[in-house]
């Protein structure tokens, strides 16, 4: 067990106690000493033990209120409260009030704190005097309670004193804190005498600390017993066996016994005590063994004796494992069967474990050597001193470097380096040193040793204060340093006040205190610093006053004026020139122009304000230009300045601009500068334009144009425009110039787009294209189609256009249409079979022909067969469902040339065209049903033929309607308030699965129907909570995806809920085992996907417990791949493949696993083709890229075959 460490009693003063009521520790009382030891468990040698030993020698008198047992010092509460005022904010809404109680009576003090703005409970402490925290005193006579009212959000804290005593009277304090907020309240308790005689005080019970098992738990008589202690000679006491004390003592009393009887190695003693407490087995060799332990004083003699059962057995003695040999110190004796060992002149080295062996057996014991008690040979003396003086309280003890404890008002003092108390030991002399005594150091100080104690009173008073250097009145210029200095006879702190308000040190205000000199410094003074200042020393009723007067010479602040203090004003405008001024006291202001003073009225006038002066000129004229003088005067000096006023105007407007050149959406314009610049250089020009038919002008430049040439842009072709110009100088902007002559921007169109081959026959080529991206204001009159034969020309690839137009002479191209065509499709006829031609198209408008659009490759004049291919939309790959009466309109695109033939069949038979309309075109087929009927449901087969090539597709169409009512509804049983119903599903399910039933009830008297169950899936149900005595009818509606059936089936008989109902005995059912291994109720199906379009694979599974779902591609687990998304909802498992490519084709499988087994389904996914030639062409893909893509697709198909 580690060495017990002495608990720092200053924790009661420095560390805040917990807000909750703490349970007092148990303590033992013996010989007037109170020892508190945290419980040590005998099972561990490494527990820590904390000891606090306050002295006690005497009892407090009930009449002495100042020496109340709760007071820990005679501090000045007023000073403490003043010191905390700077950081205190109001938290109490109800403060404890002073009260009076008679001896033996009860009293309660209440404090309330509002929690509206607090996020957690505030911390509340109760004190007696200045420092004693009452949280540790709670018990029989003191109870602390707290509560919280949620509606009003108010915390209530109560301190209840039970069976008050006279020494409970005194000053109390309640403190509350929350984060940086703090509030405190002081109150008094007066205890009046009772008619009964005061009971005598037991010194032992007075030192008991509050404990759960004590009768006087909560008793607070603690430090008062330390008063008037005198040095007493230690009385003779009977010999005490410390070993027996430790064996029988509570572990919490070990430290007290060790200090009282001079045991230095308590840790070793407790280890040995733990060993010796083990049960000793009976020995055959020893008739009588050693005692468990022996105790001897230092320098004394001890005797060990054992009695042998066999005197012939050889005996050996050992000390800490080393054999003991006979000597002057160790003496052996034999008396019959007794073997005796004497140890003379015992020292601390003899404190050890001893054992004796007889054959194979041994008997052991412990020897404890005790130091003699330490006596106080010279006691403490009462001392009086002044604040700030060094104080030494000395005593002498009987031995050098003895263990001595110091107390202040019963609280132990530590020798912590941070403590203001220092304990000095010089041999037998022990001294308590206070370097600079304070007023609150006045207290009773005591010293305690293992054999004695002493106490004395320390009184600390203030010295008479004298003013060596008083503060002086000062006159300081603004911005200069304010330095106040005073000197007093004592080295004490103090406070500075200005106009009665406390001044705190800050970055601007410096407060210095060195010895007896106090200084107040403001490095840079301000106007607000003027006033009456006062220094007040702490703890003295005296103040040192002075006055500070701030002056500042007048000054004009002309920083905002221009060069040479020139102010420019536009003619006709009002000038209000404000000049900031400073000076203390405020200066007088004078304005003048030449020899004439400017008055405070008229068109030109002066206005004066506390911090500025204004020169006002209404409707400025050129004659107002000139110099104005401003003069400032006050008692600190004067300042003057000249201000030049210049009246200017805006420039004249320029002449009308000329438009020299016009383009598609731009033009170039020029103009001449204005004749008169208004007295200020021209800085630039603003240009505006408008449509000729409009009156709204639009600014073209937001930064000034420095030149007399400008290029307006972003105009609309074919619209007439006008432009004008503004000249700008430093004063402002001129009026606009006259508008220019109107002009119209115009340009040819851009080339046609998306030129492509539509069809090719043996003698014709049909081309198609899209209109130009930019047509322009001139519009589009038509197109010119030109062609030429391959081999008659040379071609060059143009890098600038990114496509291969051909550099041909104009006469080499043949115009296919002599007249313009307004269509975007044209057939070139009369071409020789097998030849190759090049084609280009131009757009034509009023501005001329556009740049031609070339087809990039030669076109072979020969008809090409395209195999048929049905492009079935994705939503038609599943069952297509519609309700009766809705319109069915399906468009199915296909491809195939030449002259694809389309045919339809329903359920293997030809379609009746009177009921179903079919329309076919070259690229798609449409199936149309105006009003769908249930007879239109079935499988529709579509076939596309091109010569000997065929492609087929099947569409499943389902026409659904609302179901019929259930067949028969029967009342199976009636008991209590319950009715059991059963029914049969309807004959007509509306061509859709029945999704549920709706059950309604009606009282026979009113026959008003009320729904009791909706969306019910079974064909039997129990209706509960029916009214006893009523008679009910029931009806049931069937429901599918289209809704409820039009009619309902009602019970033929009614159900009477009898008043004297029979007791229904519920049948006993065994628990159903819902456990099931995974089973796929809907497997995966082989699927075809289109490249670039999202594809999904679906299946459904059931199982209990819920199975874990995993997806695999080609037997490889799919994990963390962003191209796949997996869903599972109500047993439906979905794998979504985002924009698949042919690479994504393969075998996909879904596996479901739970603790009962696993199941797996798989399917094949084929990603086909991608986009058609026509779709790519319509999306703007260049034809040569389309051709390359189609060749790759064709090659893939060839390899697959």
């Amino acid at each position: 067990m580690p060495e017990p460490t002495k608990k720092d009693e200053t924790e009661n003063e420095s560390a805040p106690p917990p807000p909750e009521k703490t349970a007092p520790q148990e303590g033992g009382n013996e010989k007037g000493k109170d020892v508190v030891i945290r419980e040590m468990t005998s099972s561990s040698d490494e527990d820590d033990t904390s000891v606090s030993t306050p002295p006690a020698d005497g009892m407090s008198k009930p009449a002495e209120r100042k020496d109340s047992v709760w007071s820990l010092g005679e501090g000045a509460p007023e000073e403490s409260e003043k010191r905390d005022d700077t950081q205190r904010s109001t938290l109490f809404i109800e403060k404890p009030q002073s009260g009076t109680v008679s001896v033996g009576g009860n009293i309660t003090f209440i404090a309330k704190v509002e929690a509206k703005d607090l996020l957690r409970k505030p911390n509340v402490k109760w004190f007696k005097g200045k420092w004693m925290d009452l949280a540790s005193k709670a018990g029989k006579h003191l109870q602390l309670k707290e509560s919280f009212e949620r509606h009003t959000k108010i915390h209530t804290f109560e301190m209840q004193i039970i069976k008050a005593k006279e020494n409970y009277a005194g000053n109390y304090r309640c403190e509350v804190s929350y984060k940086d907020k703090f509030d405190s309240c002081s109150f008094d308790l007066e205890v009046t005498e009772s008619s009964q005689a005061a009971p005598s005080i037991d010194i032992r019970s007075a030192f008991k600390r509050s404990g759960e098992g004590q009768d006087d738990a909560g008793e607070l008589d603690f430090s008062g017993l330390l008063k008037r202690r005198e040095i007493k000679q230690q009385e003779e006491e009977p010999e005490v066996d410390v070993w027996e004390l430790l064996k029988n003592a509570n572990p919490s009393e070990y430290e007290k016994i060790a200090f009282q009887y001079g045991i230095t190695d308590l840790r070793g003693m407790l280890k040995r005590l733990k060993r010796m407490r083990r049960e000793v087995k009976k020995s055959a060799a020893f008739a009588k063994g050693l005692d468990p332990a022996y105790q001897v004083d230092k320098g004394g003699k001890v005797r060990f004796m054992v009695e042998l059962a066999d005197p012939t057995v050889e005996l050996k003695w050992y000390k800490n494992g080393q054999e003991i040999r006979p000597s002057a110190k160790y003496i052996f004796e034999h008396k019959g069967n007794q073997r005796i060992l004497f140890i003379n002149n015992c020292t601390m080295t003899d404190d050890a474990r001893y054992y004796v062996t007889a054959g194979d057996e041994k008997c052991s014991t412990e020897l404890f050597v005790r130091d003699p008690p330490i006596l106080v040979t010279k006691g403490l003396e009462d001392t009086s001193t002044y604040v700030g003086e060094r104080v030494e309280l000395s005593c002498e003890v009987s031995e050098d470097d003895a263990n001595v404890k110091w107390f202040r008002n019963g609280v132990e003092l530590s020798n912590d380096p941070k403590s203001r108390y220092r304990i000095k030991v010089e041999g037998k002399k022990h001294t308590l040193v206070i370097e600079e005594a304070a007023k609150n150091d006045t207290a009773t100080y005591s010293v305690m040793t293992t054999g004695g104690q002493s106490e004395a009173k320390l009184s600390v008073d203030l010295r008479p204060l004298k003013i060596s250097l008083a503060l002086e009145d000062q006159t300081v210029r603004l911005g200069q340093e304010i330095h106040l200095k005073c000197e007093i006879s004592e080295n004490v702190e103090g406070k500075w006040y200005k106009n009665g308000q406390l001044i705190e040190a800050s970055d601007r205000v410096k407060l210095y205190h060195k010895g007896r000199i106090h200084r107040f410094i403001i490095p840079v003074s301000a106007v607000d610093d003027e006033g009456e200042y006062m220094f007040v020393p702490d703890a003295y009723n005296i103040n040192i006053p002075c006055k500070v007067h701030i002056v500042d010479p007048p000054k004009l602040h002309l920083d905002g004026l221009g060069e040479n203090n020139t102010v420019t004003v536009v003619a006709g405008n009002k000038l209000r020139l404000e000049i900031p001024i400073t000076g203390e006291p405020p200066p007088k202001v004078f304005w003048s122009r030449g020899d004439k003073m400017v008055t405070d009225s008229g068109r030109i006038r002066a206005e004066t304000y506390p911090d500025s002066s204004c020169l006002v000129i209404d409707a400025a004229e050129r004659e107002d230009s000139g110099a104005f003088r401003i003069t400032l005067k006050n008692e600190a000096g004067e300042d003057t300045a000249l201000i030049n006023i210049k009246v200017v105007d805006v420039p004249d407007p320029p002449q009308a601009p000329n438009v020299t050149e016009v383009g598609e959406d731009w033009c170039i314009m020029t103009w001449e500068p204005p004749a008169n610049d208004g007295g200020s250089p021209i800085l630039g020009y603003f240009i505006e334009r408008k449509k000729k038919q409009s009156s709204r002008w639009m600014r073209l430049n937001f930064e000034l144009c420095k030149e007399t040439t400008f290029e307006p842009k972003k105009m609309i072709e074919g619209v007439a425009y006008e432009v004008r110009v503004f000249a700008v100088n430093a004063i402002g902007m001129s009026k606009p110039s006259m508008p220019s002559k109107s002009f119209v921007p115009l340009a040819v169109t851009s080339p046609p787009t998306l030129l492509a081959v539509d069809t090719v026959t043996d003698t014709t080529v049909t081309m198609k294209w899209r209109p130009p991206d930019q047509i322009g204001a001139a519009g589009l009159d038509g197109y010119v189609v030109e062609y030429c034969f391959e081999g008659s020309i040379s071609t060059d690839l143009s890098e600038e256009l990114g496509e291969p137009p051909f550099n041909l002479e104009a006469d080499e191209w043949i115009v296919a249409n002599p007249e313009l065509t307004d269509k975007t499709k044209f057939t070139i006829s009369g071409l020789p079979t097998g030849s190759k031609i090049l084609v280009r198209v131009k757009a034509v408008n009023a501005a001329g022909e556009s740049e031609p659009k070339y087809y990039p490759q030669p076109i072979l004049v020969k008809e090409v067969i395209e195999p048929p291919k049905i492009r079935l939309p994705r939503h038609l790959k599943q069952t297509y469902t519609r309700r009766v009466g809705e319109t069915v309109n399906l468009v199915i695109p296909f491809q195939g040339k030449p002259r694809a033939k389309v045919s339809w069949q329903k359920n293997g038979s030809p379609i009746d065209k009177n009921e179903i309309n079919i329309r076919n075109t070259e690229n798609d087929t449409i199936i149309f049903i105006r009003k769908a009927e249930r007879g239109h449901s079935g499988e529709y087969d579509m076939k596309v033929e091109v010569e000997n090539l065929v492609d087929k597709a099947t569409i499943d169409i389902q026409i659904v309607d609302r179901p019929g009512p259930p067949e028969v509804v029967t009342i199976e049983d009636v008991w209590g308030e319950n009715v059991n119903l059963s029914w049969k599903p309807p004959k007509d399910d509306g061509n859709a699965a029945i999704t549920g039933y709706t059950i309604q009830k009606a009282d026979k008297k009113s026959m008003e129907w009320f729904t009791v169950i909706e969306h019910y899936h079974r064909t039997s149900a129990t209706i509960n909570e029916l009214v006893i005595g009523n008679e009910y009818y029931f009806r049931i509606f069937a429901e599918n995806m289209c809704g409820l059936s039009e009619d309902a089936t009602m019970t033929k008989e009614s159900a009477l809920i009898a008043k004297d109902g029979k007791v229904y005995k519920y049948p006993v059912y065994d628990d159903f085992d819902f456990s099931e291994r995974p089973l796929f109720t809907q497997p995966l199906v082989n699927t075809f996907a289109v490249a670039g379009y999202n594809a999904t694979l679906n299946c459904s599974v059931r199982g209990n417990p819920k199975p874990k779902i995993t997806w695999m591609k080609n037997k490889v687990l799919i994990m963390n791949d962003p191209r796949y998304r997996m869903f599972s909802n109500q047993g439906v498992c979905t794998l979504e493949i985002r924009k698949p490519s042919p690479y994504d084709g393969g075998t996909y499988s879904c596996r479901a696993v739970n603790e009962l087994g696993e199941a797996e389904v798989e399917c094949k996914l084929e990603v086909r083709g991608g986009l058609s030639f026509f779709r790519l062409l319509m999306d703007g893909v260049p034809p040569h890229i389309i051709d390359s893509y189609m060749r790759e697709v064709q090659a893939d198909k060839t390899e697959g075959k």
Side-chain angles (χ1 to χ4, degrees), residues 966-971 981-983 1034 1036 1049-1052:
E967 288 193 31
V968 178
V969 179
T970 306
I971 298 176
L981 303 177
S982 65
W983 60 90
F1034 300 90
I1036 301 177
T1049 302
M1050 190 175 71
T1051 56
K1052 296 181 179 180

Side-chain angles (χ1 to χ4, degrees), residues 974-999:
V974 179
W975 75 96
E977 302 174 358
N978 309 303
V979 173
N980 182 260
L981 303 177
S982 65
W983 60 90
K984 294 182 180 180
K987 291 183 179 180
D988 182 10
D989 60 0
N991 205 21
I994 299 298
T995 59
Y997 299 92
T998 297
I999 304 173

Side-chain angles (χ1 to χ4, degrees), residues 70-115:
W70 292 353
S71 298
L72 296 181
E74 290 297 324
E78 296 77 12
E79 294 177 7
S80 174
E81 293 174 1
K82 287 182 179 179
R83 201 158 45 242
D84 295 337
D85 281 341
T86 58
Q87 299 179 351
R88 183 177 302 171
S89 61
T90 302
L91 292 174
F92 284 118
I93 61 173
E94 180 177 338
K95 298 182 178 180
Q97 303 296 324
S98 300
T100 303
V101 65
S102 59
V103 174
N106 301 338
I107 188 170
T108 302
F109 298 91
I110 300 176
K112 293 186 179 181
V113 178
E114 186 173 12

Side-chain angles (χ1 to χ4, degrees), residues 574-747:
K574 179 178 180 179
L575 172 64
R576 183 179 180 86
L577 178 61
E578 184 174 357
I579 306 298
I581 61 175
T582 57
E584 184 66 27
K588 294 183 179 180
V589 185
F590 305 95
W591 286 87
S592 62
R593 184 181 183 186
D595 297 334
K596 185 177 180 182
M597 299 297 295
V598 178
T599 63
D600 57 356
S601 61
R603 188 175 66 86
I604 302 176
R605 61 186 180 275
E607 298 177 357
T608 302
Y609 301 97
D611 57 351
S612 64
S613 181
C614 293
L615 176 64
V616 181
I617 302 178
D618 294 331
E621 302 174 357
R622 289 188 179 270
E623 291 77 11
D624 297 332
S625 299
F628 288 78
R629 178 178 296 277
I630 179 174
T631 304
L632 306 180
K633 293 181 180 181
N634 72 356
E635 65 182 58
E638 69 175 46
D639 192 13
T640 184
L642 284 176
I643 299 175
N644 296 315
I645 305 298
K646 181 180 179 181
V647 181
V648 294
D649 204 351
V650 298
D652 293 339
Q655 297 294 324
N658 296 322
V659 179
T660 58
E661 189 175 352
V662 177
E664 176 183 355
D665 62 346
W666 54 270
C667 72
I668 296 177
M669 55 182 291
T670 61
W671 62 90
E672 296 294 331
N676 184 4
D677 62 2
S680 180
I682 299 296
L683 301 179
Y685 302 90
F686 284 119
I687 296 91
E688 291 184 349
R689 78 173 181 214
K690 75 175 183 67
K691 297 177 183 178
K692 185 178 180 180
Q693 304 300 327
S694 174
S695 60
R696 186 174 65 87
W697 290 89
M698 183 177 66
R699 177 71 55 85
L700 300 182
N701 62 317
F702 293 96
E703 294 183 1
L704 289 175
C705 177
K706 307 295 183 180
E707 307 295 334
T708 57
T709 301
F710 188 75
E711 182 180 352
K713 296 181 179 180
K714 297 182 180 179
M715 292 184 286
I716 302 174
E717 292 183 72
V719 178
Y721 287 91
E722 294 178 350
V723 293
R724 66 182 183 182
V725 182
F726 294 83
V728 180
N729 64 3
I731 308 307
M733 186 169 59
S734 69
K735 294 182 180 180
S737 67
M738 295 298 295
S740 66
K741 295 181 180 179
S742 62
F743 60 93
V744 179
L746 204 62

